[in-house]
Amino acid sequence: MKLTRREFAVAATAAFASMGLPRLASARSPLVVPTYGGLWAKFWEEKLLPGLKEATDVEPQLDVGLGKDFVSKIRAGGDRSPYSIFMGNENIAAILRAEGFFEPFDVSKLPNAANVYPQFVNKDTNGIRSIISPIGLAYRTDMVKTPPTSWHDLWENPEFKGRTGLYQIGNTGAVVFLRLVGELFGSGPDDFDTAFAKIKELLPFSQASWSGELSTALMRGDAIVAPVDWTEIMVLQDKGAPVDIVAPKEGVLAFEQSFNLVRTGAEKDAAHAYLNYVLDANVQRDMAKAFYTSPCNKASELDDEIRKRTPIVGDRMSEIRSYNWDSYVDKAADIADRWNREMA
C-alpha cells in the first residue's frame, strides 16, 4: 500500500510519539520508600504517602519489609541502590554510614529540619533521627507491688528477680540497654565489660526478639517488668491489659528511626522532599497519634490526651538518652557474639 504524504506524516508522528512515551515515563523514577509492616505500612499507605503526593510532586513507591532487608538491598545494589533514602534504627544506620553508603543532606532543601531538636541531627547533617519511640520500664499493674521509678530497680527490687524481660541482642532495644547499663554502673556507654557483668546479675531473664514478644511475656506473667517502647504498651492498654509504663528518673531509651541520604540513590531531590515532609510538625503530630511516638519537631503540638499517654514531649525530650554509634560499629559483631554466649 502506498501512503500519501499526509498519511505518511500522521503515521510518522504517531510512531515517534509511541517511541517517546517509554522514555518520558522512565526519565523520572518513583521514590522507593522503605517502611515496616503492620501499623507502619497501614499508616504509610493510608496517611503518609497520600499526604506526600498532595504536598509535593514526589511519586512514592512503598517497599514494606524488615530493617535487615533494607540493609541487604543497599549493599547488594552497589552503585545503583534501589533506595535514595534509608530508614532504620540509628545503630544500624551508623554501620552503613561507616561503610560509605550515605552522604550529608542539603539542609537548604530541608526547611523543617530547623525545628528538629539538635540531639537528633547527626554531625554535618549526615542522618536525622526523625521518628522517636521512647523506651521506658513497663510492668504488670496487677502483679507488681512497688512500681519501678529507676533503672536501678531492676537490680534492687526483689520482686523483679527472675521475672525480668529483656530484648535479645539482635534488637536495638538490647543494644541501647547495654550502653545505658555501661553509663549507670561503669565509665560510660562504651564500658561493655561492666555492662555485661551487671546484666548477668539479672539472670535468669526472659529474652524477646521484638516488642510483641515482650508483650506476650508480660501478658503470660513470664515477665512482670521489662524495658519496652511506649507504642507497645499503649496498644496493650487500649486492649484492656493490666500494664503501665514509667519514665525512669535517669531518663528513657528510644528507638530512633534514622533517615539517611543514600550516596548511590538516583532520586535525591525527591528524597529530600520526602524527609522534609516526615519532619513537618503536623506529620509528626499524626505519627504521635498513630504510634505514640515523640515528635522530633519542636513546633509539633499534641492535645492533652495524647500528651498524657505520651509524656516524653517538649522539654522532656531532653530525657531521651541518645548515643553516638561511631565507636560501636566495629564492635557490633563481637558484642552480639558475646551476648549470645554469656546471656543464655
Side-chain angles (χ1 to χ4, degrees), residues 146-178:
T146 306
T149 60
S150 162
W151 292 104
H152 287 269
D153 289 334
L154 292 177
W155 286 264
E156 297 173 1
N157 186 335
E159 293 182 81
F160 300 156
K161 184 62 178 176
R163 306 187 75 181
T164 296
L166 294 178
Y167 289 104
Q168 200 272 341
I169 194 64
N171 189 293
T172 293
V175 185
V176 292
F177 181 68
L178 190 69

Side-chain angles (χ1 to χ4, degrees), residues 4 10 31 52 60 69 77 82 117 160 181 197 201 228 254 256-257 266 270 280 288 315 331-332:
T4 65
V10 170
L31 178 70
L52 173 69
D69 301 329
Y117 293 95
F160 300 156
V181 176
E201 291 179 9
V228 189
E256 298 174 323
Q257 295 300 315
D280 179 86
D315 293 341
K331 305 181 182 77

Side-chain angles (χ1 to χ4, degrees), residues 173-196:
V175 185
V176 292
F177 181 68
L178 190 69
R179 303 198 77 184
L180 170 72
V181 176
E183 274 190 305
L184 294 179
F185 295 98
S187 59
D190 289 334
D191 189 348
F192 297 110
D193 287 338
T194 297
F196 269 89

Side-chain angles (χ1 to χ4, degrees), residues 147-296:
T149 60
S150 162
W151 292 104
H152 287 269
D153 289 334
L154 292 177
W155 286 264
E156 297 173 1
N157 186 335
E159 293 182 81
F160 300 156
K161 184 62 178 176
R163 306 187 75 181
T164 296
L166 294 178
Y167 289 104
Q168 200 272 341
I169 194 64
N171 189 293
T172 293
V175 185
V176 292
F177 181 68
L178 190 69
R179 303 198 77 184
L180 170 72
V181 176
E183 274 190 305
L184 294 179
F185 295 98
S187 59
D190 289 334
D191 189 348
F192 297 110
D193 287 338
T194 297
F196 269 89
K198 291 301 298 184
I199 294 174
K200 286 169 73 174
E201 291 179 9
L202 300 179
L203 286 169
F205 49 75
S206 302
Q207 296 194 46
S209 298
W210 55 297
S211 298
E213 286 187 2
L214 276 176
S215 293
T216 300
L218 284 169
M219 295 318 301
R220 287 178 176 170
D222 297 337
I224 60 172
V225 66
V228 189
D229 56 286
W230 248 264
T231 304
E232 194 68 29
I233 299 306
M234 293 300 101
V235 170
L236 280 181
Q237 285 187 346
D238 289 340
K239 297 177 180 177
V243 292
D244 204 352
I245 185 169
V246 299
K249 62 184 180 184
E250 299 92 349
V252 299
L253 299 170
F255 292 115
E256 298 174 323
Q257 295 300 315
S258 178
F259 285 63
N260 295 269
L261 187 64
V262 181
R263 182 174 54 78
T264 56
E267 300 297 327
K268 294 183 181 179
D269 283 343
H272 280 85
Y274 169 57
L275 175 56
N276 191 57
Y277 184 73
V278 169
L279 295 176
D280 179 86
N282 291 333
V283 173
Q284 289 285 315
R285 176 203 61 202
D286 292 343
M287 286 184 175
K289 289 182 177 178
F291 304 120
Y292 301 103
T293 50
S294 296
C296 67

